[in-house]
Amino acid sequence: MNNPTKQQAITTTDKIFEQMQSAIVEGDIPAGSKISEPELSKKYQVSRSTLREALNRLEKCHLIERKANVGSRVVECTIQGLLEIYIVREALEGMACRQAAQNMTDDEIQQMKAILEQHAQAKDLQDGVAYYQEEGDLDFHYKVILGSHNNELINILCGQLYHLVRMYRCQFGMNSPRATRAFDEHSRIIEAIADRDGELAEMLMRRHIAASRKNIENKIALKQQKEQA
Amino acid sequence: MNNPTKQQAITTTDKIFEQMQSAIVEGDIPAGSKISEPELSKKYQVSRSTLREALNRLEKCHLIERKANVGSRVVECTIQGLLEIYIVREALEGMACRQAAQNMTDDEIQQMKAILEQHAQAKDLQDGVAYYQEEGDLDFHYKVILGSHNNELINILCGQLYHLVRMYRCQFGMNSPRATRAFDEHSRIIEAIADRDGELAEMLMRRHIAASRKNIENKIALKQQKEQA
DNA sequence: CAAAATAAAATTGTCGACACTTTTCAATAA
DNA sequence: TTATTGAAAAGTGTCGACAATTTTATTTTG
């Protein structure tokens, strides 16, 4: 797994955290399920202290929720929750894009263009479509966020929301027919960044994310119509 | 202290967390200083486990930073850090304002208007000016954020960034001459929300926050000019 | 039989101790 | 003197056990 936010695991807590993170993202530990500290500390062969430390980190990236004297639950994957994240991403990644247009070095911009070239080639291959949608899309957004050179933005988007987004993608199976259109949108965003046009870059990124959101909203609406019929 | 994000403290960890939070925000535990677990666990008369749990929560709201096998430090209050937070706030509170215009109930809007009336009266009293700038301003922004009815936005802004903002206000002594202008800006924002004009509401909130940021940037620029002279 | 009160079990919160890593500092060598 | 090495001290990471709370099961009561 190509996880760009992964720092080298040092302590055992790091390892448990990563294992549980993947398990939750991929649904092996089901969304909404209760977390039993004794059970999991036995399963992963660590003490409860170590496990609790890992739980704290999972809470930091919004993958679990804790209540005092009651315990932890994995977050639910609800439509409302997904839409709420899109709203936050629209605001933050839009701003990150504006900052990127202002702060990215020429080298960084060149690298982004190279990545997009790579995606373009993968896109032509039929079996590359899936790749582009999954890792490729996240990769693009990730690079833009880093390009903002704003540590607070980077921390929130890459450190906290990133895995929650991945979780929704995994569990809702987001293989939308937006692949080629998304690619074009990415191209225009990079152009705006290269032109150092922050205002346009932000607008394009916001529309790009809002389009994904509306795509989902439409899907839901259709689904509900079918259910009524 | 009127802290709107404070949940009722249940465990001893809760209490230590709140104490340390205030101590850091107000500078009693200095910005940038190293945190010694043995020292603080003795000072607060709790075990290291409990202290570490509190440290985890402080890390969640960006008040301290940890490195594996090395320890924790209180965040530094740098100009760059302050400006970075303003960027994030501009994006998130702007969006929160748009959502508030869309999602607030009529009752909530009435309550906000009432609060502003209150601020207007306090503003007329000379000794009320300070109040308005400190608690009042935070209170207004807080209500708008809640009005978004977006849990993710609320969590990030009220749960995580709120105290960091307070820390900067405390330690940099933000008593800007923007009080009356800020009040007018607040009024217009509420009007836009009441009109259900999300686009305008977002724009006004972003300008409101950007104005504060530029005010600080100017201050810094002036300061640097003086230092050179 | 249903609801409330009570007892038992399970779970979370807190503690002190030990293991391992990092830092400090003194001794040695260039 | 400065740089390197190595030992001692301090600090963080991890563990198992006990205390406090919540949940479950059982008994009692209307």
Side-chain angles (χ1 to χ4, degrees), chain A residues 18-61:
Chain A
E18 283 177 12
Q19 286 183 49
M20 291 191 68
Q21 185 172 253
S22 297
I24 290 174
V25 165
E26 288 157 27
D28 294 337
I29 301 176
S33 64
K34 173 127 188 5
I35 299 234
S36 162
E37 293 179 8
E39 182 189 328
L40 285 178
S41 68
K42 202 163 58 180
K43 178 177 173 186
Y44 288 108
Q45 299 281 16
V46 293
S47 73
R48 264 184 62 224
S49 315
T50 305
L51 183 82
R52 279 164 69 86
E53 184 77 28
L55 292 183
N56 270 316
R57 298 204 202 160
L58 291 171
E59 195 185 6
K60 254 174 240 166
C61 46

mmCIF file of all heavy atoms in Angstrom, chain A residues 18-61:
data_model
loop_
_atom_site.group_PDB
_atom_site.id
_atom_site.type_symbol
_atom_site.label_atom_id
_atom_site.label_comp_id
_atom_site.label_asym_id
_atom_site.label_seq_id
_atom_site.Cartn_x
_atom_site.Cartn_y
_atom_site.Cartn_z
ATOM 1 N N GLU A 18 -0.914 1.392 12.752
ATOM 2 C CA GLU A 18 -1.001 1.194 11.303
ATOM 3 C C GLU A 18 -1.860 -0.010 10.945
ATOM 4 O O GLU A 18 -2.678 0.049 10.024
ATOM 5 C CB GLU A 18 0.407 1.025 10.719
ATOM 6 C CG GLU A 18 1.145 2.347 10.600
ATOM 7 C CD GLU A 18 2.571 2.152 10.093
ATOM 8 O OE1 GLU A 18 2.881 1.033 9.625
ATOM 9 O OE2 GLU A 18 3.354 3.109 10.182
ATOM 10 N N GLN A 19 -1.678 -1.087 11.702
ATOM 11 C CA GLN A 19 -2.478 -2.276 11.436
ATOM 12 C C GLN A 19 -3.960 -1.989 11.614
ATOM 13 O O GLN A 19 -4.789 -2.318 10.749
ATOM 14 C CB GLN A 19 -2.068 -3.412 12.380
ATOM 15 C CG GLN A 19 -0.746 -4.062 12.039
ATOM 16 C CD GLN A 19 -0.443 -5.242 12.977
ATOM 17 O OE1 GLN A 19 -1.290 -6.102 13.195
ATOM 18 N NE2 GLN A 19 0.753 -5.258 13.539
ATOM 19 N N MET A 20 -4.286 -1.331 12.728
ATOM 20 C CA MET A 20 -5.698 -1.052 12.992
ATOM 21 C C MET A 20 -6.244 -0.049 11.990
ATOM 22 O O MET A 20 -7.400 -0.137 11.570
ATOM 23 C CB MET A 20 -5.868 -0.528 14.420
ATOM 24 C CG MET A 20 -5.603 -1.575 15.484
ATOM 25 S SD MET A 20 -6.117 -1.018 17.118
ATOM 26 C CE MET A 20 -7.895 -0.956 16.917
ATOM 27 N N GLN A 21 -5.421 0.897 11.615
ATOM 28 C CA GLN A 21 -5.851 1.895 10.633
ATOM 29 C C GLN A 21 -6.273 1.216 9.335
ATOM 30 O O GLN A 21 -7.368 1.468 8.816
ATOM 31 C CB GLN A 21 -4.696 2.862 10.374
ATOM 32 C CG GLN A 21 -5.051 4.005 9.459
ATOM 33 C CD GLN A 21 -3.926 5.024 9.389
ATOM 34 O OE1 GLN A 21 -4.025 6.093 9.936
ATOM 35 N NE2 GLN A 21 -2.843 4.661 8.726
ATOM 36 N N SER A 22 -5.413 0.334 8.840
ATOM 37 C CA SER A 22 -5.767 -0.394 7.618
ATOM 38 C C SER A 22 -7.022 -1.221 7.826
ATOM 39 O O SER A 22 -7.916 -1.241 6.971
ATOM 40 C CB SER A 22 -4.605 -1.297 7.205
ATOM 41 O OG SER A 22 -3.471 -0.531 6.901
ATOM 42 N N ALA A 23 -7.080 -1.899 8.978
ATOM 43 C CA ALA A 23 -8.221 -2.770 9.248
ATOM 44 C C ALA A 23 -9.526 -1.987 9.251
ATOM 45 O O ALA A 23 -10.547 -2.452 8.738
ATOM 46 C CB ALA A 23 -8.026 -3.491 10.584
ATOM 47 N N ILE A 24 -9.484 -0.798 9.808
ATOM 48 C CA ILE A 24 -10.698 0.022 9.864
ATOM 49 C C ILE A 24 -11.025 0.577 8.481
ATOM 50 O O ILE A 24 -12.168 0.507 8.019
ATOM 51 C CB ILE A 24 -10.536 1.164 10.883
ATOM 52 C CG1 ILE A 24 -10.518 0.597 12.307
ATOM 53 C CG2 ILE A 24 -11.652 2.189 10.732
ATOM 54 C CD1 ILE A 24 -10.223 1.617 13.377
ATOM 55 N N VAL A 25 -10.013 1.105 7.813
ATOM 56 C CA VAL A 25 -10.234 1.693 6.486
ATOM 57 C C VAL A 25 -10.833 0.659 5.544
ATOM 58 O O VAL A 25 -11.768 0.935 4.800
ATOM 59 C CB VAL A 25 -8.914 2.243 5.912
ATOM 60 C CG1 VAL A 25 -9.044 2.523 4.424
ATOM 61 C CG2 VAL A 25 -8.509 3.512 6.642
ATOM 62 N N GLU A 26 -10.292 -0.561 5.615
ATOM 63 C CA GLU A 26 -10.738 -1.593 4.683
ATOM 64 C C GLU A 26 -11.961 -2.363 5.176
ATOM 65 O O GLU A 26 -12.440 -3.264 4.497
ATOM 66 C CB GLU A 26 -9.574 -2.554 4.403
ATOM 67 C CG GLU A 26 -8.496 -1.913 3.531
ATOM 68 C CD GLU A 26 -7.133 -2.580 3.702
ATOM 69 O OE1 GLU A 26 -7.111 -3.777 4.057
ATOM 70 O OE2 GLU A 26 -6.108 -1.900 3.492
ATOM 71 N N GLY A 27 -12.415 -2.032 6.382
ATOM 72 C CA GLY A 27 -13.645 -2.636 6.863
ATOM 73 C C GLY A 27 -13.473 -3.961 7.578
ATOM 74 O O GLY A 27 -14.457 -4.605 7.922
ATOM 75 N N ASP A 28 -12.218 -4.391 7.792
ATOM 76 C CA ASP A 28 -12.001 -5.639 8.528
ATOM 77 C C ASP A 28 -12.482 -5.486 9.968
ATOM 78 O O ASP A 28 -12.983 -6.432 10.569
ATOM 79 C CB ASP A 28 -10.519 -6.021 8.503
ATOM 80 C CG ASP A 28 -10.056 -6.370 7.097
ATOM 81 O OD1 ASP A 28 -10.917 -6.729 6.275
ATOM 82 O OD2 ASP A 28 -8.849 -6.268 6.827
ATOM 83 N N ILE A 29 -12.278 -4.296 10.510
ATOM 84 C CA ILE A 29 -12.971 -3.921 11.750
ATOM 85 C C ILE A 29 -14.146 -3.056 11.290
ATOM 86 O O ILE A 29 -13.948 -1.958 10.807
ATOM 87 C CB ILE A 29 -12.059 -3.127 12.698
ATOM 88 C CG1 ILE A 29 -10.820 -3.956 13.060
ATOM 89 C CG2 ILE A 29 -12.819 -2.744 13.952
ATOM 90 C CD1 ILE A 29 -9.828 -3.209 13.925
ATOM 91 N N PRO A 30 -15.377 -3.580 11.439
ATOM 92 C CA PRO A 30 -16.512 -2.953 10.756
ATOM 93 C C PRO A 30 -16.813 -1.547 11.269
ATOM 94 O O PRO A 30 -16.634 -1.260 12.449
ATOM 95 C CB PRO A 30 -17.672 -3.903 11.083
ATOM 96 C CG PRO A 30 -17.055 -5.146 11.607
ATOM 97 C CD PRO A 30 -15.755 -4.745 12.217
ATOM 98 N N ALA A 31 -17.282 -0.697 10.360
ATOM 99 C CA ALA A 31 -17.731 0.640 10.720
ATOM 100 C C ALA A 31 -18.851 0.545 11.736
ATOM 101 O O ALA A 31 -19.728 -0.310 11.634
ATOM 102 C CB ALA A 31 -18.197 1.388 9.480
ATOM 103 N N GLY A 32 -18.796 1.400 12.751
ATOM 104 C CA GLY A 32 -19.847 1.427 13.755
ATOM 105 C C GLY A 32 -19.697 0.410 14.870
ATOM 106 O O GLY A 32 -20.439 0.457 15.846
ATOM 107 N N SER A 33 -18.730 -0.495 14.744
ATOM 108 C CA SER A 33 -18.599 -1.549 15.744
ATOM 109 C C SER A 33 -17.909 -1.044 17.004
ATOM 110 O O SER A 33 -17.125 -0.106 16.967
ATOM 111 C CB SER A 33 -17.800 -2.725 15.170
ATOM 112 O OG SER A 33 -16.484 -2.327 14.879
ATOM 113 N N LYS A 34 -18.233 -1.699 18.109
ATOM 114 C CA LYS A 34 -17.620 -1.334 19.384
ATOM 115 C C LYS A 34 -16.215 -1.910 19.454
ATOM 116 O O LYS A 34 -15.951 -2.986 18.940
ATOM 117 C CB LYS A 34 -18.461 -1.881 20.536
ATOM 118 C CG LYS A 34 -17.839 -1.713 21.902
ATOM 119 C CD LYS A 34 -18.776 -1.044 22.863
ATOM 120 C CE LYS A 34 -18.114 -0.688 24.195
ATOM 121 N NZ LYS A 34 -16.701 -0.908 24.331
ATOM 122 N N ILE A 35 -15.321 -1.163 20.102
ATOM 123 C CA ILE A 35 -13.945 -1.619 20.254
ATOM 124 C C ILE A 35 -13.747 -2.123 21.663
ATOM 125 O O ILE A 35 -13.951 -1.389 22.625
ATOM 126 C CB ILE A 35 -12.962 -0.468 19.984
ATOM 127 C CG1 ILE A 35 -13.133 0.024 18.555
ATOM 128 C CG2 ILE A 35 -11.542 -0.893 20.304
ATOM 129 C CD1 ILE A 35 -11.903 0.044 17.740
ATOM 130 N N SER A 36 -13.374 -3.388 21.794
ATOM 131 C CA SER A 36 -13.110 -3.961 23.116
ATOM 132 C C SER A 36 -11.614 -3.970 23.359
ATOM 133 O O SER A 36 -10.867 -4.661 22.666
ATOM 134 C CB SER A 36 -13.669 -5.372 23.198
ATOM 135 O OG SER A 36 -13.069 -6.061 24.273
ATOM 136 N N GLU A 37 -11.173 -3.203 24.344
ATOM 137 C CA GLU A 37 -9.738 -3.118 24.610
ATOM 138 C C GLU A 37 -9.134 -4.467 24.997
ATOM 139 O O GLU A 37 -8.085 -4.836 24.459
ATOM 140 C CB GLU A 37 -9.469 -2.063 25.693
ATOM 141 C CG GLU A 37 -9.788 -0.661 25.227
ATOM 142 C CD GLU A 37 -9.542 0.374 26.313
ATOM 143 O OE1 GLU A 37 -8.988 0.013 27.378
ATOM 144 O OE2 GLU A 37 -9.890 1.542 26.098
ATOM 145 N N PRO A 38 -9.755 -5.223 25.922
ATOM 146 C CA PRO A 38 -9.177 -6.528 26.277
ATOM 147 C C PRO A 38 -9.082 -7.450 25.073
ATOM 148 O O PRO A 38 -8.065 -8.118 24.864
ATOM 149 C CB PRO A 38 -10.171 -7.076 27.309
ATOM 150 C CG PRO A 38 -10.882 -5.894 27.832
ATOM 151 C CD PRO A 38 -10.939 -4.911 26.713
ATOM 152 N N GLU A 39 -10.134 -7.467 24.278
ATOM 153 C CA GLU A 39 -10.170 -8.361 23.122
ATOM 154 C C GLU A 39 -9.050 -8.025 22.132
ATOM 155 O O GLU A 39 -8.298 -8.903 21.695
ATOM 156 C CB GLU A 39 -11.535 -8.234 22.433
ATOM 157 C CG GLU A 39 -11.722 -9.159 21.246
ATOM 158 C CD GLU A 39 -12.998 -8.813 20.490
ATOM 159 O OE1 GLU A 39 -13.970 -8.362 21.146
ATOM 160 O OE2 GLU A 39 -13.032 -8.971 19.255
ATOM 161 N N LEU A 40 -8.929 -6.736 21.794
ATOM 162 C CA LEU A 40 -7.955 -6.346 20.786
ATOM 163 C C LEU A 40 -6.521 -6.438 21.305
ATOM 164 O O LEU A 40 -5.607 -6.763 20.545
ATOM 165 C CB LEU A 40 -8.251 -4.935 20.289
ATOM 166 C CG LEU A 40 -9.453 -4.855 19.351
ATOM 167 C CD1 LEU A 40 -9.713 -3.427 18.933
ATOM 168 C CD2 LEU A 40 -9.235 -5.735 18.131
ATOM 169 N N SER A 41 -6.338 -6.164 22.597
ATOM 170 C CA SER A 41 -4.975 -6.270 23.128
ATOM 171 C C SER A 41 -4.514 -7.721 23.102
ATOM 172 O O SER A 41 -3.331 -8.005 22.928
ATOM 173 C CB SER A 41 -4.920 -5.716 24.554
ATOM 174 O OG SER A 41 -5.649 -6.542 25.433
ATOM 175 N N LYS A 42 -5.462 -8.641 23.213
ATOM 176 C CA LYS A 42 -5.120 -10.060 23.104
ATOM 177 C C LYS A 42 -4.851 -10.411 21.647
ATOM 178 O O LYS A 42 -3.863 -11.073 21.328
ATOM 179 C CB LYS A 42 -6.260 -10.919 23.676
ATOM 180 C CG LYS A 42 -5.834 -12.315 24.095
ATOM 181 C CD LYS A 42 -6.846 -12.975 25.023
ATOM 182 C CE LYS A 42 -8.214 -13.077 24.377
ATOM 183 N NZ LYS A 42 -9.220 -13.714 25.282
ATOM 184 N N LYS A 43 -5.706 -9.915 20.777
ATOM 185 C CA LYS A 43 -5.586 -10.209 19.346
ATOM 186 C C LYS A 43 -4.241 -9.729 18.792
ATOM 187 O O LYS A 43 -3.593 -10.433 18.021
ATOM 188 C CB LYS A 43 -6.735 -9.548 18.595
ATOM 189 C CG LYS A 43 -6.692 -9.738 17.080
ATOM 190 C CD LYS A 43 -7.918 -9.109 16.424
ATOM 191 C CE LYS A 43 -7.798 -9.143 14.912
ATOM 192 N NZ LYS A 43 -8.910 -8.405 14.262
ATOM 193 N N TYR A 44 -3.838 -8.520 19.191
ATOM 194 C CA TYR A 44 -2.604 -7.965 18.644
ATOM 195 C C TYR A 44 -1.396 -8.264 19.532
ATOM 196 O O TYR A 44 -0.288 -7.822 19.248
ATOM 197 C CB TYR A 44 -2.738 -6.455 18.448
ATOM 198 C CG TYR A 44 -3.637 -6.067 17.303
ATOM 199 C CD1 TYR A 44 -4.892 -5.509 17.544
ATOM 200 C CD2 TYR A 44 -3.241 -6.267 15.987
ATOM 201 C CE1 TYR A 44 -5.719 -5.151 16.490
ATOM 202 C CE2 TYR A 44 -4.065 -5.912 14.932
ATOM 203 C CZ TYR A 44 -5.301 -5.357 15.193
ATOM 204 O OH TYR A 44 -6.120 -5.008 14.147
ATOM 205 N N GLN A 45 -1.624 -8.957 20.622
ATOM 206 C CA GLN A 45 -0.524 -9.369 21.505
ATOM 207 C C GLN A 45 0.237 -8.185 22.089
ATOM 208 O O GLN A 45 1.473 -8.182 22.108
ATOM 209 C CB GLN A 45 0.464 -10.282 20.752
ATOM 210 C CG GLN A 45 -0.148 -11.556 20.239
ATOM 211 C CD GLN A 45 -0.299 -12.615 21.318
ATOM 212 O OE1 GLN A 45 -0.214 -12.309 22.519
ATOM 213 N NE2 GLN A 45 -0.522 -13.854 20.931
ATOM 214 N N VAL A 46 -0.493 -7.173 22.535
ATOM 215 C CA VAL A 46 0.156 -6.058 23.227
ATOM 216 C C VAL A 46 -0.632 -5.731 24.486
ATOM 217 O O VAL A 46 -1.763 -6.204 24.666
ATOM 218 C CB VAL A 46 0.212 -4.795 22.331
ATOM 219 C CG1 VAL A 46 1.142 -5.016 21.148
ATOM 220 C CG2 VAL A 46 -1.179 -4.404 21.874
ATOM 221 N N SER A 47 -0.021 -4.934 25.332
ATOM 222 C CA SER A 47 -0.706 -4.560 26.566
ATOM 223 C C SER A 47 -1.797 -3.543 26.258
ATOM 224 O O SER A 47 -1.823 -2.942 25.189
ATOM 225 C CB SER A 47 0.276 -3.934 27.546
ATOM 226 O OG SER A 47 0.625 -2.641 27.134
ATOM 227 N N ARG A 48 -2.682 -3.363 27.214
ATOM 228 C CA ARG A 48 -3.763 -2.410 26.994
ATOM 229 C C ARG A 48 -3.226 -0.987 26.876
ATOM 230 O O ARG A 48 -3.766 -0.176 26.125
ATOM 231 C CB ARG A 48 -4.780 -2.498 28.135
ATOM 232 C CG ARG A 48 -5.968 -3.406 27.801
ATOM 233 C CD ARG A 48 -6.980 -3.374 28.919
ATOM 234 N NE ARG A 48 -7.532 -2.058 29.107
ATOM 235 C CZ ARG A 48 -7.715 -1.482 30.281
ATOM 236 N NH1 ARG A 48 -7.388 -2.130 31.381
ATOM 237 N NH2 ARG A 48 -8.233 -0.289 30.353
ATOM 238 N N SER A 49 -2.170 -0.658 27.607
ATOM 239 C CA SER A 49 -1.589 0.684 27.504
ATOM 240 C C SER A 49 -1.213 0.992 26.062
ATOM 241 O O SER A 49 -1.544 2.053 25.529
ATOM 242 C CB SER A 49 -0.341 0.796 28.380
ATOM 243 O OG SER A 49 -0.571 0.230 29.632
ATOM 244 N N THR A 50 -0.508 0.044 25.459
ATOM 245 C CA THR A 50 -0.065 0.240 24.079
ATOM 246 C C THR A 50 -1.261 0.364 23.145
ATOM 247 O O THR A 50 -1.295 1.239 22.279
ATOM 248 C CB THR A 50 0.816 -0.942 23.641
ATOM 249 O OG1 THR A 50 1.890 -1.083 24.566
ATOM 250 C CG2 THR A 50 1.365 -0.722 22.255
ATOM 251 N N LEU A 51 -2.232 -0.509 23.359
ATOM 252 C CA LEU A 51 -3.419 -0.444 22.521
ATOM 253 C C LEU A 51 -4.125 0.890 22.672
ATOM 254 O O LEU A 51 -4.520 1.518 21.683
ATOM 255 C CB LEU A 51 -4.392 -1.567 22.891
ATOM 256 C CG LEU A 51 -5.621 -1.607 21.997
ATOM 257 C CD1 LEU A 51 -5.326 -2.319 20.703
ATOM 258 C CD2 LEU A 51 -6.794 -2.251 22.703
ATOM 259 N N ARG A 52 -4.247 1.357 23.899
ATOM 260 C CA ARG A 52 -4.939 2.627 24.135
ATOM 261 C C ARG A 52 -4.209 3.780 23.463
ATOM 262 O O ARG A 52 -4.835 4.725 22.965
ATOM 263 C CB ARG A 52 -5.085 2.882 25.636
ATOM 264 C CG ARG A 52 -6.245 2.123 26.259
ATOM 265 C CD ARG A 52 -6.129 2.086 27.761
ATOM 266 N NE ARG A 52 -6.324 3.387 28.366
ATOM 267 C CZ ARG A 52 -7.515 3.886 28.691
ATOM 268 N NH1 ARG A 52 -8.603 3.173 28.450
ATOM 269 N NH2 ARG A 52 -7.623 5.064 29.246
ATOM 270 N N GLU A 53 -2.889 3.717 23.483
ATOM 271 C CA GLU A 53 -2.121 4.752 22.784
ATOM 272 C C GLU A 53 -2.472 4.748 21.295
ATOM 273 O O GLU A 53 -2.675 5.801 20.691
ATOM 274 C CB GLU A 53 -0.619 4.491 22.990
ATOM 275 C CG GLU A 53 0.290 5.543 22.407
ATOM 276 C CD GLU A 53 0.356 6.805 23.239
ATOM 277 O OE1 GLU A 53 0.151 6.716 24.477
ATOM 278 O OE2 GLU A 53 0.584 7.877 22.665
ATOM 279 N N ALA A 54 -2.575 3.550 20.733
ATOM 280 C CA ALA A 54 -2.957 3.446 19.318
ATOM 281 C C ALA A 54 -4.371 3.985 19.105
ATOM 282 O O ALA A 54 -4.638 4.679 18.121
ATOM 283 C CB ALA A 54 -2.850 1.998 18.851
ATOM 284 N N LEU A 55 -5.269 3.682 20.038
ATOM 285 C CA LEU A 55 -6.641 4.173 19.918
ATOM 286 C C LEU A 55 -6.670 5.701 19.907
ATOM 287 O O LEU A 55 -7.432 6.323 19.165
ATOM 288 C CB LEU A 55 -7.499 3.640 21.080
ATOM 289 C CG LEU A 55 -7.773 2.139 21.087
ATOM 290 C CD1 LEU A 55 -8.692 1.773 22.243
ATOM 291 C CD2 LEU A 55 -8.385 1.688 19.768
ATOM 292 N N ASN A 56 -5.820 6.299 20.736
ATOM 293 C CA ASN A 56 -5.742 7.756 20.745
ATOM 294 C C ASN A 56 -5.399 8.312 19.376
ATOM 295 O O ASN A 56 -5.953 9.320 18.945
ATOM 296 C CB ASN A 56 -4.697 8.207 21.766
ATOM 297 C CG ASN A 56 -5.307 8.426 23.130
ATOM 298 O OD1 ASN A 56 -6.370 9.008 23.257
ATOM 299 N ND2 ASN A 56 -4.635 7.945 24.168
ATOM 300 N N ARG A 57 -4.479 7.646 18.708
ATOM 301 C CA ARG A 57 -4.091 8.141 17.383
ATOM 302 C C ARG A 57 -5.198 7.930 16.377
ATOM 303 O O ARG A 57 -5.416 8.752 15.486
ATOM 304 C CB ARG A 57 -2.831 7.427 16.911
ATOM 305 C CG ARG A 57 -1.673 7.714 17.838
ATOM 306 C CD ARG A 57 -0.358 7.542 17.147
ATOM 307 N NE ARG A 57 0.676 7.304 18.119
ATOM 308 C CZ ARG A 57 1.835 6.747 17.853
ATOM 309 N NH1 ARG A 57 2.098 6.345 16.619
ATOM 310 N NH2 ARG A 57 2.721 6.574 18.799
ATOM 311 N N LEU A 58 -5.897 6.805 16.508
ATOM 312 C CA LEU A 58 -7.020 6.571 15.603
ATOM 313 C C LEU A 58 -8.094 7.630 15.811
ATOM 314 O O LEU A 58 -8.753 8.057 14.863
ATOM 315 C CB LEU A 58 -7.600 5.172 15.850
ATOM 316 C CG LEU A 58 -6.707 4.014 15.425
ATOM 317 C CD1 LEU A 58 -7.262 2.692 15.917
ATOM 318 C CD2 LEU A 58 -6.541 3.991 13.906
ATOM 319 N N GLU A 59 -8.256 8.042 17.054
ATOM 320 C CA GLU A 59 -9.237 9.087 17.331
ATOM 321 C C GLU A 59 -8.795 10.396 16.687
ATOM 322 O O GLU A 59 -9.613 11.173 16.203
ATOM 323 C CB GLU A 59 -9.403 9.265 18.839
ATOM 324 C CG GLU A 59 -10.641 10.058 19.209
ATOM 325 C CD GLU A 59 -10.748 10.341 20.684
ATOM 326 O OE1 GLU A 59 -9.798 10.020 21.429
ATOM 327 O OE2 GLU A 59 -11.769 10.897 21.109
ATOM 328 N N LYS A 60 -7.477 10.627 16.689
ATOM 329 C CA LYS A 60 -6.954 11.858 16.107
ATOM 330 C C LYS A 60 -7.323 11.967 14.629
ATOM 331 O O LYS A 60 -7.588 13.055 14.142
ATOM 332 C CB LYS A 60 -5.426 11.894 16.262
ATOM 333 C CG LYS A 60 -4.947 12.855 17.328
ATOM 334 C CD LYS A 60 -3.447 12.741 17.526
ATOM 335 C CE LYS A 60 -3.143 12.349 18.967
ATOM 336 N NZ LYS A 60 -1.760 11.906 19.156
ATOM 337 N N CYS A 61 -7.308 10.855 13.895
ATOM 338 C CA CYS A 61 -7.696 10.943 12.485
ATOM 339 C C CYS A 61 -9.142 10.535 12.280
ATOM 340 O O CYS A 61 -9.504 10.045 11.202
ATOM 341 C CB CYS A 61 -6.724 10.185 11.578
ATOM 342 S SG CYS A 61 -6.242 8.557 12.093
#
